[in-house]
Amino acid sequence: MDIRSFRQTARAWIDAHAEEMIADLQAFTRIRSVSRADLAAPGAPFGPECRQMLDFALDHARKMGFETEDHEGYCGSAIYGDKNNALGIIAHIDVVPEGEQWLYPPYGATRVGDFLIGRGTNDDKNAAVLGLYLMRMFRELGTPLKHGLRVIMGCSEETGMEDMEYYVQNCVHPVASLIPDSMFPANYAQKGSIKGLFYTDAGEQIVEFHGGEVFNMVPPSATALLRGVPLFAASEGVDVSEENGMVRVRATGTAAHAARPEGGLSAIHRLATALLEAGVLTGQSERAMRGVAALSGDIYGERAGIACEDQDTGRSTMVCGMARMENGKLSLSVDCRLSIATNVEGDSETLQAYGAGLGFEPREFSTTRPVYIPKDGPLITAAQRAYFEVTGDDAPPFTSGGGTYSRLLKNAITFGVIFPGERPRPEGLPATHGSAHGPDEFTYIPDFLRAAEIYALALVQLDEVAGEARA
């Protein structure tokens, strides 16, 4: 196939259907789809919102003329061609909670010039829409492919990837896959991870303690309700008020992805630190807050004894994304992204022992393996070639601390759809807004369309080498 001729044809098709793609992305992102396993029901293992989103996506795929499969509500597939010998595009249609501090409606899918603002526009519903339209493009252009195409849309990527665990155990695997859930160019390695919960007695003075909404985000807000303590002075990012004879303390921070915590500010850490600095806590309540402050402020795991750095994936990181209170027990989540130079299981034992030394009981700890795909192998090379053909950028493949579906699927390359470097921003948007897990998440429409062009070329070239990778 003449790649340059195909590229021109593909770009013309994408340009001709750009407004349809944008309208569909708006429709997808107007549905709130936070994964909630605690609200599971038959056929809806991640709650009613994700069930609604999956129904909408599969119905939309059928209206586009594709065969669909509903994988028991864990995820769903849209298929073009040979479904048993397919290339995959793996997206997730669940989102993190919207959080606070938005200037635009979180689910308004607001179009402002060349920008689309709303939760999921960048992480990761744009990928689902991109995949569906690429299948439509290949069908309408009649482009010959050795493999079928399968767009898989998951419903719990943000909360543990149980969706893809189900798919891997029960469904036909793609021969090779592209995962549009990160940066361009190709990602060849991802850190290992540790997730778990630490529990401790909150003591008599802490009635409520609540912060964050998901494991994998630096928490932007946290609150505590205290009894038997005097009012104390507020401080930066911390508000103090009287509430029914008790003291309510609220803290604000800055959201950031757990893989890049240095860009955020933990409201849980700010709250725990403020309570300690006020000097109003005693006994077990004080001990609990000292433990929370120590864990939530240790973003590189230095005090926890798990710090590590390697040339490929950089420093290990640690985020405490959620704090909860129930029956006097305080729980604190941990999400660690570990350098590939570490021993994942050994670090998990070290971290749990450190938490125990702070007075916490570790529970529900789990680990995931790191990902490594040879950066000079046929899969990475095919993706890199497509990126260079469109952009002229010869940037090398890279590594990341973020965890994608590459952890679970064989021959799965995380590839875009975000472009490296400083991207254009909506006018007037604060510097702390616009990221994938932050307020006013947005996608830049010209980049979205350019990503579709790159993906079209990558699929054609992956189609040629996927059999080699499988062998």
Side-chain angles (χ1 to χ4, degrees):
M1 179 184 295
D2 184 338
I3 289 296
R4 295 200 174 182
S5 176
F6 172 74
R7 176 192 167 190
Q8 292 174 353
T9 302
R11 183 68 211 204
W13 191 95
I14 291 165
D15 287 344
H17 296 83
E19 289 303 319
E20 290 181 71
M21 294 174 70
I22 295 163
D24 281 352
L25 179 53
Q26 287 179 298
F28 271 58
T29 54
R30 285 181 179 131
I31 300 173
R32 187 181 193 270
S33 51
V34 175
S35 184
R36 293 285 303 274
D38 59 317
L39 300 178
F46 308 113
E49 291 181 353
C50 283
R51 180 69 257 182
Q52 179 191 4
M53 184 70 247
L54 184 59
D55 285 340
F56 180 88
L58 293 177
D59 183 62
H60 193 71
R62 286 189 291 270
K63 289 177 179 177
M64 295 176 79
F66 297 118
E67 178 185 354
T68 63
E69 294 175 347
D70 183 344
H71 308 300
E72 302 294 332
Y74 285 84
C75 51
S77 291
I79 303 154
Y80 167 58
D82 186 352
K83 65 182 178 183
N84 295 316
N85 183 40
L87 303 176
I89 299 175
I90 320 296
H92 67 87
I93 51 177
D94 66 311
V95 297
V96 298
E98 57 274 20
E100 300 174 350
Q101 303 174 26
W102 286 70
L103 303 182
Y104 293 88
Y107 301 102
T110 307
R111 186 169 182 177
V112 180
D114 281 336
F115 302 93
L116 200 61
I117 303 171
R119 180 63 84 222
T121 56
N122 192 40
D123 183 23
D124 187 42
K125 294 179 182 180
N126 55 347
V129 173
L130 177 147
L132 292 174
Y133 271 86
L134 287 172
M135 289 204 306
R136 181 181 162 189
M137 184 199 73
F138 279 107
R139 182 186 66 199
E140 293 184 3
L141 294 180
T143 307
L145 294 173
K146 298 176 183 179
H147 302 84
L149 298 175
R150 178 187 287 267
V151 177
I152 304 173
M153 297 172 282
C155 293
S156 74
E157 194 273 348
E158 298 289 8
T159 56
M161 303 190 194
E162 290 89 350
D163 51 354
M164 206 52 52
E165 289 177 357
Y166 177 91
Y167 186 92
V168 167
Q169 294 169 10
N170 296 281
C171 306
V172 177
H173 293 206
V175 176
S177 300
L178 296 174
I179 299 174
D181 195 16
S182 185
M183 302 285 292
F184 282 122
N187 172 250
Y188 73 91
Q190 294 178 11
K191 292 178 177 179
S193 72
I194 302 169
K195 289 185 179 179
L197 293 168
F198 282 117
Y199 284 79
T200 191
D201 187 340
E204 295 298 320
Q205 293 167 300
I206 302 174
V207 179
E208 296 176 14
F209 196 97
H210 182 106
E213 298 298 333
V214 289
F215 271 53
N216 62 344
M217 183 166 71
V218 176
S221 62
T223 183
L225 185 64
L226 311 177
R227 65 180 160 212
V229 304
L231 278 174
F232 56 92
S235 56
E236 182 180 359
V238 178
D239 177 72
V240 182
S241 61
E242 189 275 335
E243 183 177 308
N244 298 323
M246 293 184 280
V247 176
R248 170 69 68 184
V249 188
R250 294 181 174 87
T252 58
T254 302
H257 196 288
R260 298 173 292 277
E262 66 278 2
L265 193 161
S266 170
I268 290 174
H269 181 67
R270 175 173 266 178
L271 177 59
T273 301
L275 298 182
L276 292 169
E277 291 178 348
V280 296
L281 299 179
T282 59
Q284 179 57 30
S285 292
E286 181 184 8
R287 286 190 290 273
M289 283 302 99
R290 291 199 180 282
V292 170
L295 285 164
S296 61
D298 191 12
I299 67 170
Y300 296 116
E302 293 168 327
R303 292 188 296 275
I306 63 170
C308 186
E309 185 173 5
D310 73 88
Q311 188 172 359
D312 280 322
T313 59
R315 301 177 77 175
S316 294
T317 61
M318 183 170 80
V319 161
C320 296
M322 293 172 56
R324 296 290 185 269
M325 278 273 298
E326 186 174 354
N327 298 324
K329 285 283 188 180
L330 188 153
S331 66
L332 186 69
S333 72
V334 289
D335 181 336
C336 305
R337 311 297 171 99
L338 303 177
S339 157
I340 61 173
T342 62
N343 178 321
V344 174
E345 293 297 336
D347 275 0
S348 179
E349 293 176 2
T350 298
L351 176 59
Q352 291 180 62
Y354 174 70
L358 294 172
F360 288 87
E361 176 190 356
R363 298 184 194 173
E364 301 176 38
F365 269 69
S366 63
T367 60
T368 59
R369 66 178 182 87
V371 174
Y372 182 82
I373 301 172
K375 59 182 175 181
D376 56 355
L379 299 181
I380 297 294
T381 300
Q384 288 288 109
R385 189 183 302 122
Y387 176 74
F388 176 76
E389 180 70 26
V390 174
T391 66
D393 180 4
D394 61 357
F398 71 99
T399 67
S400 77
T404 71
Y405 288 139
S406 289
R407 295 189 185 281
L408 300 172
L409 289 156
K410 292 182 180 179
N411 298 329
I413 306 168
T414 299
F415 184 54
V417 291
I418 304 169
F419 288 86
E422 187 174 351
R423 59 177 176 155
R425 297 175 56 82
E427 186 175 353
L429 203 65
T432 55
H433 291 220
S435 65
H437 286 193
D440 298 308
E441 174 186 341
F442 71 85
T443 196
Y444 180 51
I445 292 169
D447 278 356
F448 174 55
L449 301 177
R450 189 164 57 140
E453 182 182 356
I454 294 170
Y455 254 67
L457 266 65
L459 288 168
V460 166
Q461 296 184 111
L462 199 62
D463 185 59
E464 292 293 326
V465 302
E468 179 183 345
R470 179 169 54 181

